[in-house]
């Protein structure tokens, strides 16, 4: 149901315009969240990853790491980053 999962409403909107999009939730386990997302996208043969950038300040992300840094350092597919 829309709204139950973050991103599900966006995926439904994209689907109405002919874009195959999936919203899902998954545990990252022992790896970073960024690496888990990249692995999942590769497993699904995704053509594009769309992410929001810097949920924390860029300086804090540089020091402590984060999803944006993981994508910028290890992206294996085209990535659209919105800030």
């Amino acid at each position: 149901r829309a709204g139950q999962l973050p991103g599900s409403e966006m995926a439904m909107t994209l689907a109405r315009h002919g874009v195959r999009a999936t919203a899902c939730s998954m545990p990252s386990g022992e790896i970073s969240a960024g690496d888990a997302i990249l692995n999942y996208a590769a497993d699904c043969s995704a053509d594009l990853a769309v992410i929001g950038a810097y949920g924390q300040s860029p300086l804090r992300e540089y020091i402590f790491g984060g999803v944006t840094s993981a994508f910028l350092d290890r992206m294996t597919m085209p990535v659209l980053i919105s800030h």
Side-chain angles (χ1 to χ4, degrees):
R1 187 171 155 231
Q4 296 295 319
L5 180 67
S8 62
E9 290 180 9
M10 183 181 297
M12 286 177 45
T13 299
L14 290 169
R16 284 194 296 267
H17 294 280
V19 176
R20 237 181 49 212
T22 303
C24 64
S25 176
M26 65 183 168
S28 62
E30 298 295 318
I31 61 176
S32 72
D35 287 336
I37 295 167
L38 286 169
N39 289 346
Y40 181 78
D43 291 346
C44 294
S45 300
D47 296 321
L48 174 70
V50 180
I51 66 169
Y54 300 112
Q56 50 194 339
S57 75
L59 177 61
R60 183 180 171 108
E61 182 140 343
Y62 174 76
I63 294 169
F64 298 109
V67 174
T68 307
S69 296
F71 269 86
L72 293 176
D73 293 342
R74 295 180 287 283
M75 60 187 163
T76 56
M77 69 189 68
V79 178
L80 175 65
I81 299 176
S82 174
H83 178 58

